[in-house]
């Protein structure tokens, strides 16, 4: 697929589906009674408390209307796990794609480290007959909760799988009947300590599996709020001759001087992205496209 189609066409998302803006409170003129309040009292009135980042997440994903009354009880989820642990060494079982998706021949998007899954559900709800979505997550409780949400939403183009992506990705996508169109790795665990960098999800074997199985014109979207992690991912994909960064194909897509995308091309922010921007962090993004054969 050439750049002339545009990345918005690839994602199946129209321009009207940009990231939703927070609703603004309607303007109300002061009543005659309020004008009698002294300037000193008005000055001393406390402003309304600022929304927390968790509330911003709820607003951004409000149209999913996800239930919190799930059959899991209190879900306590570890933020970090060691993917090199023997408990994560077994490859995930390849599902029966005909049972998983209504149409297993549709192009596939895989989100590696999908977290709660809201991001993929938002996309799946908007493109029910355009693309299938596969979320890979190493924290099993998050997968179980996502499965219940998908059941409530009655979506048949999305599936979540408990899997250690570096071990399971290759066999999963090679068994899929349709083309692999898009892979995303969004704000992965940074594993800051140098001795733990080997735990980072993106290593050379996974890069190779992604590129080898990606259909020509397919894309890889990466982002992180940690510049060291973003650079690590950027450097690995920059070295792949079969990939071009999107701004080299479409000059209309703007990047900063360091080559990071100026905006999110997906139409919705991930939860981590919302939290990070709430704290004032910059999000470092890259979008690659596989060259036509």
């Amino acid at each position: 697929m050439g750049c002339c189609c545009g990345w918005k066409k690839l994602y199946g998302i129209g321009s009207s589906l940009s990231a939703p803006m927070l609703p603004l409170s309607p303007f109300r003129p002061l009543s005659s009674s309020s004008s009698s309040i002294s300037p000193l009292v008005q000055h001393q009135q406390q402003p309304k408390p600022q929304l927390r980042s968790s509330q911003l997440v709820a607003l951004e994903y409000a149209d999913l209307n996800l239930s919190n009354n799930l059959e899991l009880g209190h879900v306590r989820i570890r933020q970090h796990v060691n993917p090199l642990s023997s408990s994560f060494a077994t490859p995930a079982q390849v599902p029966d794609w005909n049972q998983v998706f209504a149409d297993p021949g549709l192009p596939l998007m895989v989100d590696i480290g999908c977290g709660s899954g809201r991001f993929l559900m938002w996309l799946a709800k908007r493109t029910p007959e355009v693309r299938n979505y596969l979320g890979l997550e190493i924290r099993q409780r998050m997968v179980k909760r996502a499965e219940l949400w998908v059941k409530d939403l009655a979506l048949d183009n999305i599936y979540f799988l408990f899997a250690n992506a570096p071990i399971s990705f290759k066999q999963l996508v090679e068994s899929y009947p349709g083309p692999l169109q898009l892979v995303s790795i969004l704000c992965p665990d940074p594993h800051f300590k140098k001795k733990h960098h080997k735990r980072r999800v993106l290593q050379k074997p996974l890069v190779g599996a992604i590129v080898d199985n990606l259909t020509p014109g397919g894309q890889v979207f990466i982002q992180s709020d940690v510049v060291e992690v973003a650079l690590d991912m950027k450097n690995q994909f920059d070295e792949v001759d079969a990939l071009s960064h999107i701004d080299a194909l479409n000059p209309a897509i703007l990047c900063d001087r360091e080559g990071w995308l100026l905006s999110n091309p997906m139409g919705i922010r991930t939860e981590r992205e919302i939290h990070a921007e709430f704290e004032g962090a910059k999000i470092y993004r890259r979008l690659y496209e596989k060259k036509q054969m």
Side-chain angles (χ1 to χ4, degrees), residues 10 97 100-101 103-111 120 130-136 157-159 169 172-184 213-215 218-219:
L10 173 68
W97 299 112
V100 168
F101 298 122
D103 183 359
L106 289 177
L108 180 69
M109 172 182 176
V110 180
D111 187 25
L120 275 192
V130 175
R131 184 179 296 111
N132 288 328
Y133 297 87
L134 176 63
L136 305 182
N157 65 331
I158 185 169
Y159 186 69
F169 177 87
L172 288 170
V173 297
E174 287 182 348
S175 68
Y176 182 73
L180 177 62
Q181 188 180 59
L182 177 60
V183 177
S184 57
N213 288 280
L214 198 66
T215 190
Q219 297 185 328

Side-chain angles (χ1 to χ4, degrees), residues 41-61:
V41 174
Q42 290 180 346
H43 179 72
Q44 290 176 344
Q45 289 179 340
Q46 296 295 322
K48 292 182 179 180
Q50 187 181 34
L51 291 176
R52 297 190 299 271
S53 60
S54 58
Q55 293 173 308
L56 294 177
V57 170
L59 283 172
E60 194 138 348
Y61 288 95

